[in-house]
Amino acid sequence: MKKILTGMLLAALLLSGCSGCAKKSAEAAAVPPTRVQIGVVLIDAEDAAASEAQREGVEQALESLGMQDTQVVWRFEAGEEQELLEALQDCVDAGCNLIFTNPHTGRQRPVEQAAQSNPETEFVAVGGDTAKTSGLANLHNVSPRLFEAQYVAGIAAGLKLQELAGNGELDGGDAEEDVSRLGYVAAFPNAEAISAYTAYFLGARSVCEELTMTVRYLNAWQSDTAEYEAANALLDAGCVVLGSDAAASGVALACSERREDGANVFCAADLNAAQAKWPSVYAELIDAFRTGKTLPTDCSAGFDRDAVGLTQTGDAAAVGTADAQKTAIDGLKDGSLQIFATDAFTVDGKTAASAFVTDTDGDLIADQDEAIYDGAFHECVFRSAPYFTLHIDGITEAFN
């Protein structure tokens, strides 16, 4: 049976669950700093962009907390399930009492197995979504609220489209049609991507109501070649501003080459792009652990906890971008801005009225936790990982 939480229970959830990354426990004992040993198990190669971002985040967090590099055990290239399980156990055997990992969404079982076999060790799956349903007290999920940063980055995209159209600087078409030419490169058609690009689109449309957007999926992780091909396909289709899941180098290269040929096209990195601020995320969790605070099952943090942000604003950004983005960020921090407000989008021409987000019986159909209430879809409340999968009007999807 579908269960709907009352407003009172929802308020309690917001206060105690995903809104914070630690809470004081009467039973928890502080861990002496010298006894904190951290394990970090990453699925990609050490020199991969994703691994470098995570490594920098951990190292900067340790520095800010006055801890030593020797208090970390690193493992890389643990993408397969058996490799991940063995790497996690290696960290346990090396004396790690707090272990971070970033498993693929569909390959989180090894993390659950390691947590179940080692109840005295805390495991944190970055981007994971199974801690809540696992029932394991020592398994935790953490996700930066990147959809917030994507919404704000989308504002820069919308303003740029308006500026180009208003100045007659677009190639072909009339101004009214030109502002619809927004594109986005996404990895896979999963909740993480759908949440991100929908937020980007809604941010852009908040300042440019007429626009529509085409999303092109790579069906690949971190492929510069696939990004480049997808970006060029979008540019060939008439898109002039491109967003992406990250500051993708393939997308940036495609836009740069087109500008060299005289085209007025831009990617998010040319304006400003969404980014996770991993040092803040790791520092909060590590400090909570060493000071005896209980890590919550799910931790989701955004602009309010300095867990997400934007890359440096480029010279190509439209006039007024900084002020418009600051207004949005302030609204996100104080709660006055709801990104997925149901009056801001439609699905098949209708206002979205219901969206359950938790599958309790394993049939791949969400049957619990109503995410639409108080006039908005509330993302990352019932778990830290994104679960927005609505395909809203105004966005067209394509595949490489």
Side-chain angles (χ1 to χ4, degrees):
M1 177 181 296
K2 295 184 177 180
K3 304 173 184 178
I4 301 178
L5 291 176
T6 65
M8 186 175 296
L9 286 174
L10 286 168
L13 178 62
L14 285 167
L15 290 172
S16 63
C18 294
S19 59
C21 288
K23 57 183 178 181
K24 193 69 176 179
S25 169
E27 292 79 20
V31 181
T34 55
R35 291 181 55 191
V36 175
Q37 190 68 33
I38 298 165
V40 183
V41 178
L42 302 177
I43 60 176
D44 296 305
E46 185 172 358
D47 60 352
S51 295
E52 291 177 353
Q54 299 292 328
R55 182 159 196 155
E56 290 176 4
V58 172
E59 291 176 344
Q60 291 179 34
L62 293 178
E63 183 178 0
S64 70
L65 296 172
M67 297 173 64
Q68 305 299 315
D69 291 344
T70 54
Q71 291 179 258
V72 185
V73 173
W74 296 93
R75 294 290 184 272
F76 299 93
E77 298 186 70
E80 299 301 321
E81 291 194 9
Q82 187 60 35
E83 294 171 340
L84 178 56
L85 183 60
E86 291 174 357
L88 292 169
Q89 190 59 50
D90 283 348
C91 289
V92 173
D93 295 342
C96 297
N97 43 21
L98 175 62
I99 300 175
F100 295 95
T101 185
N102 63 339
H104 288 303
T105 302
R107 298 180 180 177
Q108 299 177 66
R109 181 56 186 161
V111 190
E112 294 183 36
Q113 292 176 309
Q116 190 170 26
S117 300
N118 302 279
E120 300 303 316
T121 303
E122 301 293 326
F123 292 83
V124 180
V126 178
D129 60 5
T130 64
K132 178 180 177 179
T133 55
S134 75
L136 296 169
N138 63 325
L139 178 58
H140 317 275
N141 292 154
V142 59
S143 290
R145 298 167 69 90
L146 273 171
F147 66 95
E148 291 188 357
Q150 288 287 12
Y151 179 91
V152 179
I155 291 174
L159 290 174
K160 187 62 181 180
L161 281 168
Q162 275 193 330
E163 179 186 77
L164 291 171
N167 293 341
E169 295 177 335
L170 294 174
D171 301 322
D174 58 43
E176 185 176 351
E177 293 175 339
D178 283 335
V179 294
S180 71
R181 290 154 63 179
L182 182 64
Y184 193 98
V185 175
F188 291 96
N190 55 21
E192 182 179 4
I194 296 170
S195 174
Y197 73 62
T198 303
Y200 184 80
F201 171 70
L202 292 174
R205 201 165 66 173
S206 72
V207 295
C208 187
E209 294 182 3
E210 301 87 357
L211 64 79
T212 57
M213 184 172 80
T214 300
V215 174
R216 196 164 189 91
Y217 294 111
L218 305 177
N219 279 330
W221 292 110
Q222 299 177 352
S223 169
D224 289 345
T225 299
E227 290 168 1
Y228 179 79
E229 293 173 351
N232 275 308
L234 289 169
L235 295 171
D236 288 341
C239 296
V240 294
V241 177
L242 303 184
S244 58
D245 284 345
S249 58
V251 177
L253 176 61
C255 290
S256 177
E257 289 179 350
R258 295 293 179 109
R259 286 198 300 274
E260 290 177 1
D261 292 335
N264 285 313
V265 298
F266 303 89
C267 67
D270 297 318
L271 310 175
N272 53 28
Q275 64 178 0
K277 300 179 74 172
W278 292 113
S280 297
V281 174
Y282 282 115
E284 184 169 349
L285 290 167
I286 294 170
D287 190 51
F289 174 74
R290 71 173 187 170
T291 55
K293 295 178 181 176
T294 300
L295 303 184
T297 301
D298 283 275
C299 167
S300 176
F303 281 108
D304 61 336
R305 305 178 79 87
D306 197 34
V308 299
L310 301 167
T311 59
Q312 184 174 352
T313 301
D315 294 337
V319 174
T321 295
D323 289 341
Q325 290 183 321
K326 182 181 184 304
T327 298
I329 291 171
D330 289 343
L332 291 168
K333 287 181 176 180
D334 65 24
S336 61
L337 172 59
Q338 290 291 335
I339 290 175
F340 299 115
T342 53
D343 61 0
F345 66 90
T346 57
V347 178
D348 295 329
K350 300 177 182 179
T351 299
S354 180
F356 288 86
V357 296
T358 301
D359 173 19
T360 62
D361 54 15
D363 64 356
L364 303 182
I365 299 175
D367 54 28
Q368 183 172 288
D369 296 333
E370 174 60 74
I372 295 179
Y373 57 90
D374 295 339
F377 182 107
H378 293 262
E379 178 72 302
C380 297
V381 170
F382 296 99
R383 72 174 188 229
S384 59
Y387 43 72
F388 186 98
T389 56
L390 300 178
H391 295 268
I392 74 171
D393 297 332
I395 298 176
T396 302
E397 297 168 278
F399 292 83
N400 257 10

